[in-house]
Structures are given as C-alpha cells and as structure tokens.
Amino acid sequence: MSSQEYAFVVLALVGTVSAVRVVTARNVVRAALYLVATLASVGAVYLLLGSEFVGWVQILIYVGAIVILFLFGLMLTKAPIGREALDNRSRAIGALVGLAILAGLVFLIQNAFAWNDPKVELAQATSGAIGEAIFRHYVLPFEAVSFVLLAALIGAVVLSRKDERP
Amino acid sequence: MVVAFVLTQEEVAEAAGSAGLTRYAWVIALLPLVSAALTLFFGKRTPGRGWIYGVLTVGTGFVLSLGVLWHFVTGGGAHASAVDWFQIGSLEMMLGQYVDGLTAVMLVVVTAVSLCVHVYSIGYMHGDSRFTWFYVALSLFTAAMLNVVIADNLFQLVVGWEVMGFCSYILIGHWWEEHVNSSSAIKAFITTRIGDVPFLFGVFVLIAATGFTTSNIQEIGHLVGGEEMARGTVSIAALLLFGGAIGKSAQFPLHVWLPDAMAGPTPVSALIHAATMVAAGVYMVGRTYEVFVNADPWVLQFVGVIGVITAVGAGLLGLVQDDIKRVLAYSTVSQLGYMITLMAAGPAGRNAAFFHLFTHAFFKALLFLGSGSVIHACHTNNMSEMGGLRKPMPVTFWTFLIGSLALAGIPPLAGFFSKDELLVALEHDHQIVLFGLLLFTAAVTAFYTARMVLQTFFGTYRGHGHPHESPVSMTGPLVFLAAATVAVGFLGFAETGAPFFDWVFLEEPEAITFVPWVAALSVAAAGLGLLGGWAVYRTWRAEDPLVALGSAYTLLARKYYLDDIYWKGIIRPIRDEVAAFANWTNQVVIDGVVNGAATVTRYLSGGIKAFDEEVIDGAVNGLGQTAGFTGGLLRYLQSGNVQRYAAFLFAGVVILAVIFTRI
Amino acid sequence: MIRLPLVLFFSAALFSIGVYGVLARRNAVLVLMSIELMLNAVNVNLIGFSQLWRDLTGQVFALFVIAIAAAEVGIGLAIVILIYRNRETINLDEVSLLKW
C-alpha cells in the first residue's frame, strides 16, 4: 500500500462517515455541516487523484455556494432545529433498498476488476488541458450547460417572486 | 264440291307426307292466352277498350284451325308431339298436343263460335264498365277450351278444365252487383266442382292403373284396350270420369246450374253454355272412349240412362219458361242429354254424338246471340213482354228462324242431319226404348221451339220500349252462324259422302248409310211438334195454355222440386250444422291445444329468465365486483408520497440489474 | 498508486447512503442534500476512471455534472420555498395530495 493509498483510505473513511451522519442527523443544520465535510473530503480526493481543477471547482461550487444555498433554504422554511424525528416511516424500506444497491454495486465492481490490477496512476491534469478540452471538443455541451444555468437562474427568480395580488 | 273431298284412305296416306299445319296446332291454343295478357295490361289504353286483341287472335286462330282441318280434309293423319314439363316419381308430366280429325273439328268449332262472340260483344257490351275485363276473361276461356281440345294427356286436360270453370264463374258473375248474378256464378262453380271431384279421382285411378308411368290419353287407351288393366278398375275409372261430364255438361242431377247461369251476359251464354264449355264434358267422354268401351257394360248403360233422363226431363222443362234464355238453356241441357245418350251406343253412337255436338254448337250459339239481340232491343228477358219483333228486327228474325228450324230438326238444316244420325245409331244398336224416348223428345223440342219463336216474333208488341235492329257488330255474327248452320249439315250426310266421319272415328272410319224410314220418322216428329206449337201459341194468351195441365205444370214450373231438395237436404244442413261443428272444433279443441302450448312455453321461459338473471348476470356482475375489489386494493399504491415512489423505483432498478446481469 | 476498486467502493458507498437519505428523510431540503451525495458519488467514479485511462473526458463531464447540480439545487430550493409558502410545511409526508 502506498502512501497515496493510505491518504485516500483516510479521506474516504472521513467522507463516508460524514455522509452517514448527513442522513442520520437529527438536527438539520448539523446535517448541512456534515454535508460540508463530505463534500470537502471528496474535493480532497480529487486533488489526491490529480485532478486539481475539478477539485478546486468542487470546493468552490459545492462547499462555497451550494451548501450556503441549503442553509438559506433551511432558514427560509423554518426547518425545525432541535431534536425531532426527521425520518419518515419508510426508513426500513429505504435502508433495505440502499443496502441492496450497495450490495449490487460491490458485486459488480469486484466482478469487473481484479483487486490488484488496475491502479490509478497519479497524473497531472492541468487546467490548461481541461480548458482546451472544454472549449475545443466539448464546446457545445458547454454552451448547453450555460443555457441550463441561465434557465435555472431565471426560474428560481420567477418561482420565488411573491404574488402581487392586491 | 263436297264429293271432291272424298278420297280413299290409302291414296291419301301416301300423299300426305308431312304433318302440315297440325304440328303448330298448339299455337292456336296459345294465341288467346297472349291476347288475354295483352288485354289485361294494355286493354284500357287501346282505342275501343281492348276488344281488338281478342278478335285478332281468335280470328287468326280460326283461320289456322281451318288450315288444320284442311290437313284432314286432304286425308292427312293424326299428329302428336309433346315436351317435358316436370316429373313426379316415375310419372312424367308432359305438355303436348294430340291432333286428329276430332281435334281439328273441335278447333274450328271453338274458334268460330268464340270469334262470333268476340265480335258480337263489341256491340252488346258497349259501354259496360268492365268491358276490358270481360274480354280478358273471354280470351282466357277460349285459351283454356282450346287447351282441353288439343291436350294429349289427362293432366293437361284437367288444367284446362279447371281454368274454364273459373272463367265461367267470372263471366256468369260479370254483373255481380246484383245478388242474383253472383249467387248464380257461385252455384255454377260449386255444382261443376261437385262433378270435378270424381273426375279427378277418375284421372288418378287411370294413372295409378298404368303403374304411374303415363297420363297420355292414347297410351292409356292402348293399355285399357290391351287388357293389362283389371276390368273392374277400368269400370271404376270410367264411372268417375263420367262424373266430371255430369257436372260440366249439366246432366241430371247436376244440371241445376245451367239455367241459373243465364244470369250472365248473353254472349257468355252463347260461348260457354251452348257451344264450348258444356261440350267439353261430351268431348272428354269421347276422347277417353276406350276406357268406356272396355269397362263393364253397365257403365255405358248408366251413361245412357243419365243422358236420356236429362234429355227428356230438360226438354219438358223448356215448355214452361217465360225467360227466353231459360228456354234455350233447358234446350241445351236436353241436347247435351242427347249426346250423352249417344255415347252409350258404341263407337257409331260416339261419332254421331260428335256430329251433333258440331252442328249444335253453331245453331245454339246462333240462337243465343239472336236472343241477345232481342234482349238488347227490348231490355227484358221475358217473352211475355216481347212479340211482333219480326218487323222491326228482320235480320235477327230470319237468322233466329233458321236456328230454330235447325234445332227442331227440319231438313235440310244441320239439326236434321245430326238428329237423324243419332236415331240411326240407336237403331243400329237396337236400343228401342232410347229410340222411342228420343223421338218423343224431338217432338217436344219442336213444340217449345215453335212456342219461343211465336211468342217472340209474332203477334203484337207487348212491351214498353222501342225495339230496333241491332248494330252490324251483332248481326254480322248472326248471319255467319246462320250460313254455317245451313252448310255444315251436309258434312254428315251419307249421300254426300259424309266426310265428317272420315275425320272423326274411333278405330276406323265407318261407312254411313242413309236410312230413309228413320229420317221420315224424325221429320214427322218434328213436324208434329211444330204444328202443335203453332196451334197452341198462334195467338197470345196472358195465361200460358199449358197451365191447364194442372199439377204436371206445377211440377215442371218447380223444376221437379230438385232445387228445393238440394237446398233443404244438402246445403242447409251443411251450412248450419256441419259448419257450426267445425267451428266449435276449431275454437275449442285446436285453439285450446295451441293456447296450452303457449302457456307451457311461458312457464318455461320464466324459468329460463330466472336462470339468466341469477346465474349469468351473477357471473357478469361478479366479474365487475372482483375488478372493483382488486382496484380497491391496488389504489393504496397511490399514496401520494414521493419517497415511496422513489423507493419502488430504486427497488425496481436493483431487480432489473440483477436480472440483466444474471441473464 | 491507488487501487481502482477502492475508489469505486468509495463511490458505491456514497451512492447507497445517498439513496437511503432520499428514501428515509422527511424534510425536503434534506432529500436534496442526499441527492447531492449521489451526484458526488458519480463524480468520484468519473474522476477515478478519467485518471485511469488518462482521458480528460471524465473530468470535463464531472465539471458539467457539478454545474448541473448547482442549477438543480437552485430550482429545487425555489420549489421547496414555494411549497413552504403554500402549505406551511415541507414535510414530505404531508405533501401528498396526489393520492387516492
């Protein structure tokens, strides 16, 4: 096991535990904060794997913007803060389905890949190369995504307007 | 001229190669049928209201009939041809013609008289509201009679026979608004029907006796002659056939319809009841004569008895009638009695009967048409309202006189020769009693003929109208028939070769001899009758002198009480009692069964209805309820809870993944 | 050198936890958070394979996923706020009108 691997395992464990806490926390704000931890660890994993651009984008967007959005949402909807049952009655089915999916995926993975063979080499993925890839080969999807963001922006504004009936 | 027609049989048979016009004799029978249809469909629109079709076709038929007769005059032989009609079991029904001398003679008679009647009716029925329909019936009747005449098998003959009966019903009841006329038509139809039933059975017996192989008259004649049929069967068949002749030819006891049938228009009486239809009975007996000859002797004796009773009885009845047509009607019945009597005298008598039929047709039709002319002028049938008509109606008078003299049997008119032949035949057969009775009847005939002529044409006019001569359309046929009456007598005269008997014979033509003392006797009888009539009726007396005969007169006036016997003994019981019983049976028994069946069905259907409602509807409703119940269970899936939907979604994905990776 | 199966196991774990969260949480916002977990799991997968095959496509795609996720969160929260305005609650158990 190399040192990267060790680092990776540690980060993975942190992320997983945080994720579990996200879905089991009784306090919605704590759930949001645990989400921060999870997202940050995922960003760190990206950096470890050598995708620096994506990693920093992850930190920026997810941790920086999306979590803030969630916190605003929780605040505006007066999410109950405090010890209260936040899980619904179909928890058992949810757990069952989740475990089924996990089992399935694990089975697939270990069926497809040998344990020792494919090793992810660390490689530098420079921002320049990514930029080149985006604006040369994937410029149309990029434009499409920008449209989506525009639509989402306008939509969010329209949806959140107060009714102006007298 | 007549002598030139006489040739020996052998010479002529070689000369006559082809069948000549006889092959097309059936056309003569078909033409009036065509004109009946044409008149029916187009008559009302044709100018003159449709008499033209009938006159043209029957006229053409008359000419053709003369042509057919010419074939036999020149010594030709008989001709038979037929087409298949249909088949019942082993019996083949044919539609065919058998044309021999007898057929040719009958064709000429029927078409000649029919033509005269068609022309006569133009004037007589002028202005009648059912003029067109009258001509349709006339043509149809002519077609049916011609069919009877040329028929080669019994079945076809029966068809024509029945159609004639129907047409006579239509024609007698032409003026059916009067109850008397419609009643007379019904009486005629039913009475002839009563005779037709044994006739049909006679036909059946004959067909059965041939083993159901044929109804052809000639073949049956061979079979009866060849003694393949039991004599008893033949006798029964002959007797039954004669029943039809009794009905159709108005013999005792079924003669009652003919006098009442005078209710129809006079042309109808002339055609149907003088010359043709009533002659059909005589013709039928003559055609199937082999059957009569080969039967037991008592059959022919029975025939003779019936004939002579009819002849004498009807002759006497003619003495007491006031209606001129009734005189002629009873005269017809009497003359038919003559012919039937002759049939009983063997083949010679048969031939003589046919000769009398031939001549009688002409002068009786003449007499009827003449009486029609008189009736048309005086608007009454009763002789007591006529008188002195010889001055205003000369043509009618002279033709009527010729006809009357022929009827009485005065030479050289036709009636003399035929009556003479009758008596000769009877004398040959040594039938003394019949001879004597018929001689007496000849005297009676002359007597009432004289009465008729004197009361109608002599003396002073006792009526209220202004009689004048009839139009040419009516007097033309009278003249034609008078000429025929004068001429045709010589066809049967021995001294002129009697060609008539070369045409009409049973097995072989016979040699006719002239027996002077018989002729002298018949002339004497006729003269006696005429003289007696002249003496009694020379001057008109309001009350008929014969009333002096007292109860005999009453017996005759009431027609021997026969009509009363029939009414009280037969008709009223059937109408009142038998019919009532039949009605009761129908209402109570038969309707009861039917209603009972209906009630049972109703109960059964109630049970089926219950089954349908309970079981079948229950099954159908049950299906519906099950569907509803299942739906009620399944609706709980629609919880509205999004997360539950998501759970199902993910579970489904997992299952699909498992399936696809396994497979 | 990181063994690929480890990366993939991490991704699988994150994903299934996210599924549990979607199905089990009552609060709509928390459901959205769980959806974010699932998206991140996908991204990890993409990045891992991208580095394995030295293909930048995976990373570009991961960027797009992040952008889309951001848009989706924006709209989603707008809708949640509208629901809160109308119903005074964002408890998903109580927002269930489309039922029998």
Side-chain angles (χ1 to χ4, degrees):
Chain A
M1 212 135 109
S2 60
S3 56
Q4 290 109 335
E5 227 171 62
Y6 276 124
F8 176 79
V9 168
V10 169
L11 283 170
L13 276 173
V14 170
T16 310
V17 171
S18 308
V20 170
R21 290 302 294 148
V22 166
V23 296
T24 57
R26 305 228 161 193
N27 191 328
V28 288
V29 178
R30 292 210 183 156
L33 292 173
Y34 279 122
L35 186 66
V36 169
T38 310
L39 295 173
S41 67
V42 167
V45 164
Y46 293 159
L47 289 172
L48 190 60
L49 287 175
S51 322
E52 58 186 19
F53 186 68
V54 180
W56 289 120
V57 165
Q58 165 91 355
I59 302 293
L60 258 175
I61 305 291
Y62 264 116
V63 180
I66 290 179
V67 172
I68 303 298
L69 272 179
F70 277 127
L71 286 170
F72 267 113
L74 287 171
M75 182 184 71
L76 285 172
T77 60
K78 297 200 181 82
I81 297 178
R83 290 179 182 273
E84 213 172 281
L86 288 172
D87 297 334
N88 60 21
R89 286 169 300 181
S90 43
R91 256 183 311 168
I93 299 173
L96 205 63
V97 173
L99 279 173
I101 289 183
L102 181 65
L105 283 171
V106 163
F107 172 76
L108 276 174
I109 292 163
Q110 60 89 19
N111 208 12
F113 296 102
W115 178 244
N116 273 323
D117 181 19
K119 296 203 179 172
V120 182
E121 296 272 346
L122 277 162
Q124 293 276 30
T126 58
S127 310
I130 289 185
E132 212 180 294
I134 287 178
F135 290 106
R136 189 177 288 181
H137 304 296
Y138 300 102
V139 65
L140 282 175
F142 170 77
E143 297 296 334
V145 169
S146 62
F147 272 124
V148 170
L149 284 170
L150 180 65
L153 175 66
I154 297 173
V157 168
V158 166
L159 280 174
S160 314
R161 269 193 312 189
K162 281 220 189 279
D163 282 333
E164 286 167 3
R165 275 185 230 154
Chain B
M1 185 171 70
V2 176
V3 173
F5 287 155
V6 176
L7 299 166
T8 59
Q9 203 70 6
E10 298 82 54
E11 287 173 18
V12 169
E14 289 162 26
S18 70
L21 212 55
T22 58
R23 196 180 288 147
Y24 300 104
W26 57 272
V27 175
I28 302 175
L30 200 62
L31 279 174
L33 202 62
V34 169
S35 90
L38 282 176
T39 318
L40 184 63
F41 291 123
F42 302 111
K44 290 225 173 88
R45 284 172 265 172
T46 318
R49 294 185 71 193
W51 55 260
I52 188 83
Y53 302 113
V55 170
L56 276 180
T57 47
V58 178
T60 315
F62 176 61
V63 173
L64 289 174
S65 306
L66 287 176
V68 172
L69 188 59
W70 178 255
H71 171 80
F72 291 97
V73 165
T74 54
H79 168 80
S81 57
V83 293
D84 283 333
W85 194 5
F86 62 93
Q87 196 165 354
I88 300 179
S90 61
L91 186 60
E92 285 228 6
M93 295 297 192
M94 316 283 277
L95 209 57
Q97 57 175 3
Y98 178 76
V99 186
D100 67 352
L102 175 61
T103 313
V105 164
M106 292 297 296
L107 282 175
V108 170
V109 166
V110 173
T111 50
V113 176
S114 183
L115 180 63
C116 289
V117 168
H118 274 84
V119 174
Y120 185 87
S121 302
I122 300 173
Y124 191 83
M125 302 296 288
H126 181 77
D128 190 282
S129 60
R130 284 189 290 275
F131 186 86
T132 311
W133 179 241
F134 185 77
Y135 268 88
V136 173
L138 273 186
S139 296
L140 190 62
F141 171 84
T142 311
M145 181 67 195
L146 291 169
N147 180 47
V148 168
V149 164
I150 66 169
D152 75 337
N153 63 73
L154 286 169
F155 194 69
Q156 191 175 338
L157 195 144
V158 167
V159 170
W161 189 274
E162 299 295 345
V163 176
M164 275 203 299
F166 170 71
C167 285
S168 81
Y169 165 77
I170 294 276
L171 286 166
I172 294 173
H174 183 77
W175 293 313
W176 47 263
E177 288 88 355
E178 298 276 321
H179 186 68
V180 167
N181 299 336
S182 61
S183 304
S184 303
I186 292 174
K187 184 174 181 180
F189 188 69
I190 291 186
T191 313
T192 49
R193 225 40 182 139
I194 295 176
D196 287 345
V197 172
F199 179 55
L200 266 181
F201 275 98
V203 170
F204 295 155
V205 167
L206 278 178
I207 293 178
T210 65
F212 290 101
T213 50
T214 179
S215 62
N216 189 301
I217 299 177
Q218 300 303 312
E219 287 178 29
I220 290 178
H222 286 140
L223 283 173
V224 289
E227 304 206 6
E228 282 164 13
M229 296 189 200
R231 210 165 161 96
T233 313
V234 176
S235 305
I236 298 286
L239 203 61
L240 290 172
L241 285 179
F242 186 58
I246 293 180
K248 220 31 151 215
S249 294
Q251 301 299 300
F252 177 84
L254 293 176
H255 64 279
V256 292
W257 65 271
L258 199 140
D260 285 322
M262 294 301 123
T266 311
V268 168
S269 307
L271 178 64
I272 294 182
H273 308 124
T276 42
M277 183 171 104
V278 294
V282 177
Y283 171 78
M284 183 269 294
V285 172
R287 254 283 175 252
T288 56
Y289 203 61
E290 269 92 355
V291 180
F292 287 89
V293 164
N294 285 296
D296 289 324
W298 58 264
V299 174
L300 278 178
Q301 283 167 4
F302 178 72
V303 170
V305 166
I306 295 286
V308 77
I309 291 178
T310 311
V312 177
L316 288 174
L317 284 174
L319 290 174
V320 300
Q321 303 300 321
D322 188 33
D323 185 334
I324 186 173
K325 282 176 72 174
R326 281 193 181 230
V327 176
L328 292 173
Y330 282 111
S331 162
T332 305
V333 176
S334 175
Q335 298 300 307
L336 288 169
Y338 264 88
M339 298 177 214
I340 294 288
T341 312
L342 259 301
M343 286 291 175
R350 167 188 180 270
N351 300 340
F354 275 123
F355 185 54
H356 191 58
L357 189 142
F358 180 63
T359 57
H360 171 264
F362 288 112
F363 64 70
K364 199 35 86 54
L366 169 62
L367 284 172
F368 266 112
L369 291 182
S371 74
S373 174
V374 165
I375 291 170
H376 187 74
C378 298
H379 301 292
T380 176
N381 284 16
N382 297 332
M383 292 192 288
S384 54
E385 293 173 32
M386 300 179 192
L389 290 176
R390 66 191 158 108
K391 295 224 175 61
M393 307 177 70
V395 178
T396 307
F397 169 64
W398 283 108
T399 51
F400 198 88
L401 189 63
I402 291 174
S404 306
L405 289 176
L407 176 59
I410 304 297
L413 297 172
F416 162 70
F417 289 109
S418 56
K419 278 220 177 77
D420 188 47
E421 284 310 315
L422 298 183
L423 297 170
V424 166
L426 280 179
E427 193 266 334
H428 269 182
D429 218 28
H430 305 293
Q431 306 266 22
I432 302 299
V433 177
L434 293 180
F435 187 89
L437 282 172
L438 286 188
L439 205 58
F440 168 68
T441 316
V444 171
T445 308
F447 187 82
Y448 67 64
T449 308
R451 171 177 181 262
M452 182 172 63
V453 172
L454 285 170
Q455 285 197 334
T456 309
F457 290 101
F458 289 85
T460 49
Y461 182 59
R462 295 180 285 278
H464 304 290
H466 302 283
H468 54 87
E469 188 57 87
S470 302
V472 174
S473 61
M474 288 167 72
T475 52
L478 291 177
V479 172
F480 172 74
L481 286 171
T485 310
V486 171
V488 297
F490 292 99
L491 283 174
F493 188 38
E495 295 306 316
T496 55
F500 185 85
F501 297 100
D502 286 333
W503 310 331
V504 180
F505 51 85
L506 190 61
E507 304 286 336
E508 311 142 351
E510 58 197 69
I512 302 294
T513 52
F514 180 61
V515 183
W517 66 270
V518 173
L521 261 182
S522 79
V523 174
L528 206 66
L530 283 177
L531 223 55
W534 185 75
V536 175
Y537 290 101
R538 191 175 29 159
T539 52
W540 166 259
R541 272 169 273 201
E543 199 194 18
D544 198 320
L546 286 181
V547 176
L549 290 174
S551 55
Y553 183 78
T554 322
L555 185 69
L556 287 177
R558 298 284 301 198
K559 299 171 259 177
Y560 308 112
Y561 295 102
L562 261 183
D563 272 341
D564 297 315
I565 294 172
Y566 284 154
W567 175 254
K568 288 209 177 79
I570 299 176
I571 296 174
R572 222 185 35 196
I574 292 180
R575 186 189 71 176
D576 292 337
E577 279 136 43
V578 173
F581 175 72
N583 185 46
W584 177 85
T585 313
N586 184 50
Q587 293 290 106
V588 175
V589 176
I590 297 177
D591 277 2
V593 169
V594 170
N595 290 344
T599 316
V600 168
T601 311
R602 261 227 315 263
Y603 278 128
L604 277 179
S605 68
I608 293 176
K609 172 186 164 203
F611 177 75
D612 179 55
E613 278 180 3
E614 300 295 319
V615 176
I616 297 177
D617 280 1
V620 171
N621 289 345
L623 274 177
Q625 277 169 354
T626 311
F629 176 70
T630 317
L633 285 180
L634 285 175
R635 69 176 173 170
Y636 290 115
L637 285 176
Q638 291 284 330
S639 62
N641 191 333
V642 179
Q643 283 165 321
R644 196 172 285 187
Y645 298 163
F648 289 135
L649 183 77
F650 282 119
V653 168
V654 169
I655 293 168
L656 280 176
V658 166
I659 292 173
F660 281 122
T661 51
R662 285 285 171 219
I663 298 171
Chain C
M1 304 321 126
I2 305 172
R3 283 187 272 248
L4 183 66
L6 285 176
V7 179
L8 300 183
F9 284 143
F10 177 50
S11 155
L14 275 184
F15 188 79
S16 41
I17 292 166
V19 167
Y20 170 74
V22 164
L23 297 180
R25 292 299 231 171
R26 249 186 223 174
N27 199 319
V29 181
L30 291 175
V31 169
L32 282 170
M33 286 187 203
S34 310
I35 291 172
E36 293 308 313
L37 281 180
M38 287 154 75
L39 286 167
N40 276 286
V42 168
N43 275 348
V44 166
N45 218 338
L46 281 168
I47 301 291
F49 275 107
S50 164
Q51 293 297 72
L52 180 65
W53 305 125
R54 296 269 194 262
D55 191 354
L56 283 178
T57 309
Q59 294 181 45
V60 170
F61 205 63
L63 282 172
F64 289 149
V65 169
I66 293 171
I68 298 294
E72 171 238 326
V73 167
I75 296 287
L77 281 175
I79 291 172
V80 167
I81 288 174
L82 275 179
I83 291 176
Y84 180 77
R85 266 192 222 155
N86 275 314
R87 297 268 158 204
E88 287 288 320
T89 176
I90 50 170
N91 191 338
L92 285 179
D93 283 341
E94 295 169 24
V95 185
S96 59
L97 275 177
L98 282 176
K99 65 174 181 181
W100 58 267

